[in-house]
Amino acid sequence: MVTLFRAIRLWQLKIKWKLAVMRFIDKQAKEILKNPEEAGKKAVSALNGLLSGGQE
């Protein structure tokens, strides 16, 4: 009986984390759709930082 309880708790935790990740992705997508120009500038800036080796 303990193993069944533990399996249910692990399943609940797995679902909780999946929902948290999906909520985060949804929030980020809404921000990008709200202001795509700023998101593009941030992406270009981040790529520039990666390509230059983090030296600016």
Side-chain angles (χ1 to χ4, degrees):
M1 194 64 166
V2 173
T3 57
L4 178 61
F5 177 73
R6 186 171 179 177
I8 291 171
R9 293 293 294 162
L10 288 174
W11 177 72
Q12 288 174 337
L13 186 63
K14 182 178 158 183
I15 297 290
K16 179 181 176 180
W17 277 103
K18 279 185 180 180
L19 289 174
V21 167
M22 293 304 291
R23 188 178 307 130
F24 176 76
I25 291 171
D26 189 45
K27 185 177 179 183
Q28 296 302 316
K30 284 181 184 178
E31 288 296 322
I32 290 172
L33 290 175
K34 191 185 331 180
N35 197 353
E37 295 85 19
E38 185 177 329
K41 289 179 185 176
K42 286 182 182 178
V44 169
S45 175
L47 284 174
N48 188 21
L50 287 173
L51 293 175
S52 67
Q55 301 170 357
E56 290 187 21

